[in-house]
């Protein structure tokens, strides 16, 4: 179980939302994707809700396993997730597979009517692999080789590692791809949290990636602005791996993050190719943690290559953040979200009666389909020995078993009433892996945070907040990857990097009649991470009908007049908008120039609206709400 990473706080409005809107039809996709549920009517869909737990048979004796399954059956559990974290139990020595123990557990689960997600346990790799193939070891940025001292300390870019995990996947899916107990396949638990490595072999792979991306050393010099600080590269042999933990320039660090993102996606694609070959009848449902702070990867530009359902470990703090993260994991999927790990206590947390049930209903209303407690039995040893599951350390079922049983019983009824939810949101929020990493540079000499103050994800969530409070569903996606033409409104909140794909998509969308909101801090840098040398917002100045270059920070809270009221903000950053074809919709009231705060520009058949501040609920909320009627965006029920 990862550290809690989703922080949010209100649940009442969301509960009424789905009860009022659950049965609205979801339009069939225009094109079937490789991972789409289209064409697979046997895959879990409408009328299928799953409640159960994560289960590690390697921790249990045969007698305990029989007792555990009896407890699950009595609680009406319908699904478990197994196989993760157990590579050496399946393959104790290279090429020697021991599947019989798992066969027996699968058979018992099937007899109890419990479906199984089988996880290909690519992480962590066994000790024997590290000893025989040291390229799988992590080398830190100080050049120190680290033995596999903790989970996930595996170099997923190493060719031997990639070869051996693929062989394991082939062996497992040949054996379990048609097993009647198996409902889905998962890969590489929490692969986003595996660390970056800095070996000479990693440097070679990075250089190869750069050569493919840029073609020539001259193009790389341009992209990395190497004329600055006497850092010109004369050849590929002079390229070093940037330091992920700093120091170093933004452009190089961004390419380092993209390199490891592509490495991660390639490793997952390898495993999905195995699934397509040996278990095409089973969907891919993996708990990948793409937003892990250690490394992560660009989920929003890869979800359709590696998954059939969005899936995550759900450990919520406050409802707003939790809902935002769920919609990000849902991405562009036509399918619901699976909570492959679901809050049920945790590390140093025994749990609180009613809490898991509350969050289960919250998840149900936010497109969730499966709720698998982390974890079934409390752990006796290892890094999670103080982690509390449904069954206590002495094997006695806790009150949490009964609570999950109640969830299972209630959801058995609710799955006949339109759940899980299938509804296409009317609004889309843009989110960018590149903007997130570029605006969060590692320590070192860097002026980025002097300019981009605050947190990128929080600025996107600021635009999500009014929609959440109004019970209006909003997709979270990368506008340069996903089709946006069907959305009634697209919001680009502090979209710092504006690459060609994203700019072209926005240009087409507005020209064809769409409405877009963009906030300050947006379209400042191109895909290399360097500021545009053209009028800002880069690539979109004509679409928004203005130029912005000067900016200031008000010592007092900003005030603007909008929709007949004076609004007071919480962030003093504002931009001076030089209007061309754009028209003012609102004006700052307490800035020296009393300049435009919100503008609108007609471009083609659509409208491009610019908010000249950082995204903040006090301003962007009223702006978004002012568009509901004109765009026929249906607000959900008004709730406490």
């Amino acid at each position: 179980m990862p550290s809690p990473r989703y922080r949010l706080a209100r649940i009442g409005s969301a509960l009424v939302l789905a009860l009022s809107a659950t049965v609205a039809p979801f339009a069939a996709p225009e094109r079937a994707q490789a991972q789409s549920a289209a064409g697979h009517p046997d895959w879990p869909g409408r009328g299928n809700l799953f409640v159960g737990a994560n289960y590690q048979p390697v921790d249990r004796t045969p007698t305990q396993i029989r007792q555990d399954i009896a407890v699950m059956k009595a609680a009406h559990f319908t699904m478990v997730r197994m196989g993760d974290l157990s590579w050496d139990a399946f393959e104790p020595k290279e090429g020697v597979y021991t599947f019989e123990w798992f066969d027996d557990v699968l058979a018992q689960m099937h007899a109890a009517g419990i479906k199984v997600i089988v996880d290909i346990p690519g992480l962590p790799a066994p000790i024997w692999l590290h000893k025989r193939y040291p390229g799988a070891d992590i080398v830190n940025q100080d050049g120190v080789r680290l033995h596999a001292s903790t989970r996930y300390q595996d170099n997923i870019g190493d060719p031997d590692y990639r070869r051996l995990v693929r062989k394991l996947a082939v062996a497992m899916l040949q054996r379990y791809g048609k097993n009647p107990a198996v409902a889905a396949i998962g890969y590489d638990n929490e692969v986003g949290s595996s660390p970056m490595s800095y070996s000479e072999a990693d440097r070679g792979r990075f250089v190869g990636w750069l050569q493919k991306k840029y073609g020539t050393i001259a193009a790389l010099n341009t992209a990395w602005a190497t004329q600055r600080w006497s850092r010109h590269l004369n050849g590929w042999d002079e390229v070093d791996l940037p330091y992920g933990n700093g120091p170093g320039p933004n452009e190089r660090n961004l390419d380092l993050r993209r390199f490891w993102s592509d490495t991660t996606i390639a490793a997952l694609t390898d495993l999905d190719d195995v699934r397509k070959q040996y278990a095409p009848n089973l969907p891919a449902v993996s708990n990948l943690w793409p937003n892990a702070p250690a490394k992560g990867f660009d989920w929003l530009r890869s979800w359709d290559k590696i998954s059939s359902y969005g899936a995550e470990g759900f450990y919520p703090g406050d409802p707003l953040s939790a809902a935002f993260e769920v919609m990000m994991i849902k991405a562009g999927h036509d399918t619901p979200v699976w909570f492959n790990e679901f809050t049920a206590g945790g590390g140093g947390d025994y749990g609180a009666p009613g809490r898991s049930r509350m969050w289960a209903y919250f998840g149900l209303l936010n497109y969730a389909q499966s709720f698998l407690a982390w974890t079934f039995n409390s752990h006796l040893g290892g890094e999670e020995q103080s982690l509390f599951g449904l069954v206590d350390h002495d094997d006695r079922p806790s009150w949490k078993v009964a609570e999950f049983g109640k969830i299972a019983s209630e959801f058995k009824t609710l799955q006949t009433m339109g759940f899980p939810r299938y509804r296409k949101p009317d609004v889309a929020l843009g989110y960018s892996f590149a903007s997130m990493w570029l605006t969060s540079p590692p320590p070192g000499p860097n002026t980025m945070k002097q300019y981009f103050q605050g947190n990128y994800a929080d600025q996107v969530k600021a635009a999500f907040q009014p929609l959440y409070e109004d019970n209006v569903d909003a997709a979270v996606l990368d506008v340069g990857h996903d089709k946006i033409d069907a959305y009634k409104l697209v919001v680009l909140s502090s979209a710092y990097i504006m690459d060609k794909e994203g700019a072209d998509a926005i240009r087409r969308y507005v020209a064809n009649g769409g409405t877009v909101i963009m906030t300050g801090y947006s379209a400042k840098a191109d895909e290399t991470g360097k500021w545009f040398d053209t009028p800002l917002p880069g690539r979109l100045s004509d679409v928004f009908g203005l130029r912005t270059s000067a900016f200031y920070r008000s010592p007092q809270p900003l005030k603007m007049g909008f929709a007949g009221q004076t609004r007071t903000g919480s962030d003093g950053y504002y931009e001076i908008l030089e209007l061309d074809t754009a028209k003012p919709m609102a004006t700052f009231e307490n800035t020296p120039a009393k300049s435009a705060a919100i503008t609108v520009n007609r471009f083609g058949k659509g409208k491009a609206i610019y908010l000249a501040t950082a995204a903040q609920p006090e301003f962007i909320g009223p702006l978004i709400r002012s568009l509901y009627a004109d765009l026929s965006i249906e607000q959900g029920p008004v709730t406490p």
Side-chain angles (χ1 to χ4, degrees), residues 64-84:
Q64 287 174 316
I65 289 170
R66 289 192 294 273
Q67 293 170 344
D68 292 343
I69 294 175
V71 170
M72 294 180 197
K73 183 176 181 180
H76 307 291
F77 284 9
T78 51
M79 181 173 281
V80 294
R81 175 171 168 249
M82 300 195 306
D84 58 310

Side-chain angles (χ1 to χ4, degrees), residues 69-261:
I69 294 175
V71 170
M72 294 180 197
K73 183 176 181 180
H76 307 291
F77 284 9
T78 51
M79 181 173 281
V80 294
R81 175 171 168 249
M82 300 195 306
D84 58 310
L85 316 177
S86 306
W87 186 339
D88 59 5
F90 292 109
E91 190 179 8
K93 296 181 180 180
E94 183 177 354
V96 177
Y97 298 107
T98 54
F99 292 123
E100 293 76 16
W101 64 276
F102 199 72
D103 296 345
D104 181 61
V105 181
L106 272 180
Q108 291 185 62
M109 291 291 182
H110 185 57
I114 299 171
K115 291 290 186 181
V116 177
I117 301 173
V118 172
D119 249 46
I120 309 299
L123 295 171
I127 295 297
W128 61 256
L129 189 153
H130 283 271
K131 296 302 182 183
R132 183 170 293 184
Y133 303 101
D137 291 347
I138 295 294
V139 176
N140 69 18
Q141 73 174 40
D142 297 321
V144 177
R145 183 175 294 276
L146 306 176
H147 65 267
S149 59
T150 186
R151 57 184 173 178
Y152 310 146
Q153 203 157 355
D154 311 292
N155 187 345
I156 64 171
D158 176 63
D160 288 314
Y161 167 85
R162 291 273 292 274
R163 172 178 58 84
L164 290 165
V165 74
R166 192 179 193 283
K167 283 184 63 178
L168 174 68
V170 169
M172 291 184 68
L173 294 187
Q174 282 180 326
R175 193 172 188 96
Y176 301 123
K178 293 182 172 58
N179 189 298
V182 181
I185 303 298
Y187 319 127
D188 286 4
N189 182 62
E190 295 180 351
V191 66
S193 67
S194 62
M196 295 183 286
S197 185
Y198 298 85
S199 70
E200 183 57 28
D202 291 310
R203 191 197 75 84
R205 288 189 284 270
F206 179 61
V207 169
W209 181 88
L210 292 172
Q211 289 173 323
K212 184 176 180 181
K213 180 179 177 69
Y214 293 109
T216 66
I217 197 71
L220 179 63
N221 275 304
T222 299
W224 281 10
T226 59
Q227 77 279 2
R228 301 295 305 163
W229 315 116
S230 190
R231 289 296 179 262
H232 180 80
L233 299 164
N234 293 303
W236 296 105
D237 60 322
E238 295 183 356
V239 175
D240 289 315
L241 269 169
Y243 292 132
N245 295 326
N250 298 332
E251 299 86 359
R252 292 176 225 178
N253 191 264
L254 181 59
D255 267 345
L256 177 71
R257 295 289 176 178
R258 285 170 166 155
F259 163 69
W260 279 108
S261 175

Side-chain angles (χ1 to χ4, degrees), residues 335-360:
T335 49
V337 173
W338 287 31
F339 293 158
N340 281 10
E341 298 177 12
F342 181 72
T343 183
D349 175 17
Y350 192 75
R355 182 177 182 273
S356 291
R357 180 167 172 257
M358 176 190 75
W359 283 112

Side-chain angles (χ1 to χ4, degrees), residues 332-602:
H333 280 298
D334 297 336
T335 49
V337 173
W338 287 31
F339 293 158
N340 281 10
E341 298 177 12
F342 181 72
T343 183
D349 175 17
Y350 192 75
R355 182 177 182 273
S356 291
R357 180 167 172 257
M358 176 190 75
W359 283 112
Y361 273 89
F362 175 91
L364 186 68
L365 304 182
N366 286 276
Y367 292 92
Q369 182 168 23
S370 69
F371 307 79
L372 306 183
W374 185 271
T375 187
F376 183 76
N377 54 286
S378 298
H379 294 193
L380 299 178
E383 296 169 13
E384 294 186 333
Q385 63 177 275
S386 299
L387 189 145
F388 300 89
L390 305 184
V391 172
D392 291 339
H393 289 86
D394 61 359
D395 285 352
R396 188 177 71 176
S398 73
W399 55 262
K400 288 173 278 189
V401 172
E403 181 164 317
F404 272 77
K406 184 176 182 65
I407 297 168
S409 175
E410 292 170 344
F411 282 15
K412 185 177 181 180
T413 299
L414 286 170
Q415 70 183 7
T416 68
M417 301 170 66
F419 291 99
R421 293 187 66 209
Y422 278 78
R423 183 178 184 180
K424 186 173 179 60
D426 288 333
V427 181
L429 277 73
Y431 188 93
S432 162
F433 172 88
S435 288
M436 185 271 292
W437 279 114
L438 189 69
T439 58
S440 303
N446 198 312
T447 58
M448 172 64 76
K449 294 312 294 182
Q450 293 173 265
Y451 172 67
F452 193 99
Q453 299 179 3
N455 178 276
Y456 171 72
D458 287 344
Q459 303 231 2
V460 181
K461 280 189 282 188
F464 184 77
Q465 181 175 336
L467 298 161
Y468 174 77
E469 292 173 346
D470 292 346
N471 293 319
V472 175
D473 289 347
V476 179
L477 45 80
D478 187 316
V479 298
H481 177 270
D482 293 305
K483 294 178 65 175
I484 59 174
D485 55 296
Y487 294 100
K488 297 177 180 178
L489 174 65
V490 173
V491 184
L492 302 173
S493 182
S494 299
Y496 190 80
I497 285 182
M498 183 55 61
D499 61 18
K500 187 176 185 302
E501 294 85 354
D504 288 349
I506 292 298
R507 183 176 295 275
R508 286 192 304 269
Y509 171 75
V510 178
N512 291 332
T515 299
V516 65
I517 296 173
M518 178 184 277
T519 77
Y521 284 130
S522 291
K524 305 303 185 190
D526 66 14
E527 53 270 19
T528 69
K530 299 193 307 296
W531 274 55
F532 286 105
D533 60 1
T534 57
L536 302 175
R539 294 191 167 114
L540 293 172
S541 180
D542 61 326
V543 174
F544 286 87
L546 51 79
R547 175 183 182 271
T548 173
S549 184
F551 66 92
Y552 302 98
R553 289 187 169 88
S554 171
Q556 303 297 325
L558 289 169
K559 294 181 182 294
M560 72 166 68
F562 180 72
Q565 296 186 37
T566 296
R567 315 279 178 173
T568 303
S570 53
D571 188 315
Y573 173 87
Y574 69 100
E575 297 172 355
I576 301 296
L577 305 185
E578 301 174 30
L579 306 190
D580 181 10
T581 54
K583 306 297 182 186
M585 294 174 64
T587 302
F588 291 118
E589 295 183 348
N590 63 337
T591 58
K594 306 293 192 298
S595 58
I598 303 174
T599 62
V600 60
N601 188 54
R602 290 282 179 180

